[in-house]
Amino acid sequence: MKKIIAVSLFLTSIAGYAMEDHNSNHKMESSSHHSHMTKFEKNREIKFERELLVPPLLKGKLIDNTRVFDLDIKKGEWEFLKGKKTETYGYNGPILGPVLALEKGEKTRINISNSLSEETTVHWHGAIVSQESDGVHNSDILPNSKKTVEFTLNQPEATLWFHPHPMHKTAQQVYKGLAGLIYLSDEKSNELAIPREYGFNDFPIVIQDKKLSSEGKLEYKTNHIEKIHGKSGGYLMVNGIVSPYMNIPKGLTRLRVINGSNATNYNIDLSNRSFFQIASDGGLLTSPVEMKKLVLAPGERAEIIVDSEILETKDYLYINGVKVLEFRKTNRESLSKLPKNLSILPEVKDDLTKLKTLNFTLKTTSKSNTINGEVFDMEKMNFQVKKGEKQIWNIVNSDGMMDMPHPFHVHGAQFRILERNGQLPPLNEQGWKDTVNLKAGDNVKILVEYKTDGITVYHCHILEHEETGMMGQFQIIDR
Ligand code: C2O
Ligand code: CU
Ligand code: CU
């Protein structure tokens, strides 16, 4: 009964607001929103004839014990579809960005220059850094100006990423191409026998979906429905290319998968064959977890290991049931087996009953995206915490009518999931996380500890939700 009312409300909102969108596949898209399984039918028309783009891996320059990198944010031209140029944004190039190789405990300096004609910021997603380097508060880099950011990461090895975070422009700037990666390594993980030869058996896999016109042009426009549901649909691309192929060695290949989309959840699989997840957002799991399907929400990362032994000479990675990346087996040899133990995660042994619990209720209606019934207010501090304090955050996705998933992200921290719907989370969610996906009706409890300083934020990583208000801020006080 409730569902029927929901659908008719939804249709009214389409009639009222979506007139500007004369997209022919509108009907298909609105129904796919309901199942949240965007089908990338257009991908089926594109052949696997372009090789996967492997972004440059930068090691920086060591100056006075500081690892120094240059990032230039600029406009470029890129072909998401072969032969069809469109304007894009990128870090140091036309699309996406480099991989910055950082070492735990090493001081890092990044000289950023903004060559765009609009302001931007750089946020280090998953990095435990304080307010002045986080790229949210007072961090606008104006057009044609520069900014230097410094931080030292004291957290375990992980695949982190960076993207813009300027108020009300995050979604469009990410959509236009701005997303780069950080490979953080530490002493322990450097000893592990896991694939780590960049571009040979270790690859970043940034998955995004974007709408392109028939001329292959990218344009960020959102109608009312897209503001409420997030911008999704169209073509699915891996590292900026629709339907690429990649050469993989004999044995194990490590894919560091990032959901860099604005709003789409991806169901990733190898057509029902097994792979292993070895890391979640904030680092290695205790041991490899065998899986047949991985669900990744916007902002989340997972490192997976694929064994060429189980693949055909030509084989595929599937997302939401569609082939999106072709694997071509070669004869060069990689590792053949994984270690049993990957890392030691601190056991959660706090007396949870003694910790303070904060409640966060996420809700999308046909009009707004809110946390605890409120849209984000820059002038309002939602709460304060003490540095070093641990808290339980009880997060609820209370969408009944809209049925939207919400990937909840916390800045400046890596947390542990204590419970998902009253149960221990699945094995692949028991490691460090900075983003946790909640389907409608889900309830997740996380354990958060604050080690940084200043004001920071939490928000839904559906970027249109973040921009329309599903965000809050809090202050960490050192005393
Ligand atoms: Cu990746 Cu505030 O986000
Ligand atoms: Cu972040
Ligand atoms: Cu959301």
Side-chain angles (χ1 to χ4, degrees):
M1 192 58 196
K2 240 184 173 171
K3 269 274 178 296
I4 294 169
I5 298 170
V7 169
S8 68
L9 275 178
F10 181 73
L11 291 176
T12 323
S13 74
I14 291 179
Y17 291 98
M19 299 311 284
E20 65 213 83
D21 191 344
H22 292 298
N23 212 320
S24 56
N25 52 19
H26 197 135
K27 225 174 159 186
M28 197 189 83
E29 274 171 24
S30 59
S31 62
S32 69
H33 274 308
H34 274 279
S35 63
H36 300 294
M37 265 288 279
T38 307
K39 298 261 188 340
F40 297 100
E41 293 300 334
K42 287 179 189 156
N43 277 61
R44 297 188 202 267
E45 295 157 19
I46 313 292
K47 295 205 193 82
F48 295 88
E49 46 184 16
R50 293 167 74 193
E51 192 166 359
L52 181 77
L53 168 83
V54 180
L57 177 80
L58 304 184
K59 302 206 162 139
K61 278 195 221 102
L62 200 57
I63 304 171
D64 301 330
N65 290 320
T66 303
R67 189 69 58 187
V68 183
F69 297 88
D70 294 322
L71 269 192
D72 187 14
I73 308 170
K74 51 188 179 187
K75 269 188 198 157
E77 260 193 330
W78 184 249
E79 298 179 5
F80 293 110
L81 296 169
K82 198 178 169 197
K84 297 186 171 178
K85 285 201 169 79
T86 187
E87 188 191 277
T88 48
Y89 287 178
Y91 296 107
N92 295 3
I95 188 78
L96 301 171
V99 176
L100 309 180
L102 307 186
E103 188 70 27
K104 179 181 176 184
E106 192 169 66
K107 190 163 171 196
T108 304
R109 178 183 307 142
I110 300 162
N111 298 317
I112 306 166
S113 76
N114 177 10
S115 312
L116 302 175
S117 44
E118 58 178 327
E119 73 273 18
T120 188
T121 74
V122 186
H123 166 58
W124 318 95
H125 179 127
I128 304 177
V129 297
S130 46
Q131 182 184 344
E132 67 269 17
S133 356
D134 190 46
V136 178
H137 292 88
N138 307 321
S139 34
D140 276 4
I141 312 169
L142 297 175
N144 299 311
S145 59
K146 295 185 194 308
K147 178 178 178 138
T148 294
V149 170
E150 287 188 340
F151 52 76
T152 303
L153 298 184
N154 277 307
Q155 59 189 98
E157 100 115 44
T159 305
L160 311 174
W161 66 303
F162 55 94
H163 62 76
H165 221 298
M167 267 296 165
H168 305 302
K169 289 189 166 183
T170 301
Q172 82 185 73
Q173 292 187 358
V174 173
Y175 201 77
K176 288 198 92 172
L178 290 171
L181 290 112
I182 293 175
Y183 276 18
L184 175 66
S185 54
D186 65 17
E187 254 169 43
K188 267 189 244 144
S189 66
N190 287 343
E191 311 268 275
L192 268 183
I194 54 176
R196 65 174 81 261
E197 277 177 68
Y198 189 73
F200 168 62
N201 61 13
D202 180 349
F203 296 87
I205 299 290
V206 181
I207 303 171
Q208 298 176 308
D209 55 292
K210 299 181 199 289
K211 274 186 189 149
L212 301 173
S213 71
S214 51
E215 291 80 48
K217 296 265 185 265
L218 176 72
E219 207 188 326
Y220 185 82
K221 263 200 313 215
T222 46
N223 57 35
H224 178 75
I225 295 169
E226 288 168 322
K227 285 200 180 79
I228 293 298
H229 289 268
K231 182 86 181 167
S232 68
Y235 288 94
L236 201 117
M237 48 198 70
V238 181
N239 295 357
I241 293 179
V242 180
S243 302
Y245 72 86
M246 70 184 288
N247 293 318
I248 56 161
K250 200 167 154 36
L252 307 182
T253 299
R254 178 182 189 179
L255 304 176
R256 307 195 190 207
V257 189
I258 292 156
N259 182 337
S261 75
N262 279 38
T264 314
N265 274 5
Y266 300 136
N267 287 308
I268 301 167
D269 67 66
L270 292 172
S271 188
N272 213 32
R273 285 161 295 174
S274 296
F275 53 89
F276 289 87
Q277 184 171 343
I278 60 165
S280 54
D281 303 332
L284 291 164
L285 299 168
T286 51
S287 43
V289 177
E290 185 172 354
M291 313 185 31
K292 288 196 167 155
K293 187 183 102 176
L294 167 71
V295 181
L296 221 54
E300 285 187 300
R301 284 89 64 215
E303 294 184 24
I304 61 171
I305 300 283
V306 175
D307 189 345
S308 71
E309 291 298 304
I310 61 149
L311 301 177
E312 308 292 329
T313 316
K314 256 190 195 177
D315 219 317
Y316 300 91
L317 184 80
Y318 294 78
I319 297 182
N320 299 2
V322 176
K323 291 174 181 168
V324 298
L325 172 62
E326 183 173 280
F327 298 117
R328 297 187 184 172
K329 293 214 257 186
T330 66
N331 284 323
R332 285 184 64 194
E333 302 227 356
S334 171
L335 304 174
S336 60
K337 64 172 198 292
L338 281 173
K340 278 213 178 64
N341 300 311
L342 299 168
S343 75
I344 298 171
L345 284 167
E347 244 180 89
V348 178
K349 49 178 186 286
D350 308 86
D351 182 354
L352 298 176
T353 58
K354 293 219 174 90
L355 300 182
K356 188 162 168 189
T357 297
L358 302 186
N359 294 306
F360 300 88
T361 299
L362 315 175
K363 194 169 178 65
T364 290
T365 67
S366 61
K367 291 198 186 62
S368 64
N369 292 301
T370 57
I371 299 180
N372 294 339
E374 293 178 336
V375 296
F376 179 64
D377 177 356
M378 199 51 172
E379 306 302 316
K380 177 174 172 183
M381 198 53 63
N382 293 89
F383 55 93
Q384 290 185 330
V385 293
K386 275 188 234 129
K387 186 169 176 171
E389 184 178 339
K390 287 185 182 176
Q391 292 183 334
I392 297 171
W393 287 18
N394 180 33
I395 312 155
V396 176
N397 178 341
S398 76
D399 282 11
M401 301 214 301
M402 286 310 211
D403 196 26
M404 284 293 302
H406 297 294
F408 186 86
H409 169 52
V410 186
H411 276 222
Q414 288 291 336
F415 56 77
R416 301 288 290 280
I417 303 177
L418 298 170
E419 266 181 43
R420 183 180 267 291
N421 300 326
Q423 314 267 319
L424 265 184
L427 284 173
N428 68 318
E429 285 195 328
Q430 292 186 14
W432 292 114
K433 295 283 293 167
D434 54 54
T435 307
V436 58
N437 191 32
L438 288 92
K439 295 196 293 319
D442 276 359
N443 171 208
V444 164
K445 291 194 171 76
I446 63 174
L447 179 67
V448 197
E449 180 181 358
Y450 312 93
K451 298 175 178 166
T452 57
D453 289 301
I455 301 169
T456 190
V457 294
Y458 50 89
H459 60 82
C460 175
H461 218 284
I462 290 181
L463 299 178
E464 289 77 14
H465 287 184
E466 180 232 301
E467 285 190 352
T468 52
M470 201 174 267
M471 174 151 91
Q473 60 183 345
F474 64 104
Q475 187 166 26
I476 303 162
I477 309 175
D478 194 1
R479 60 173 172 214

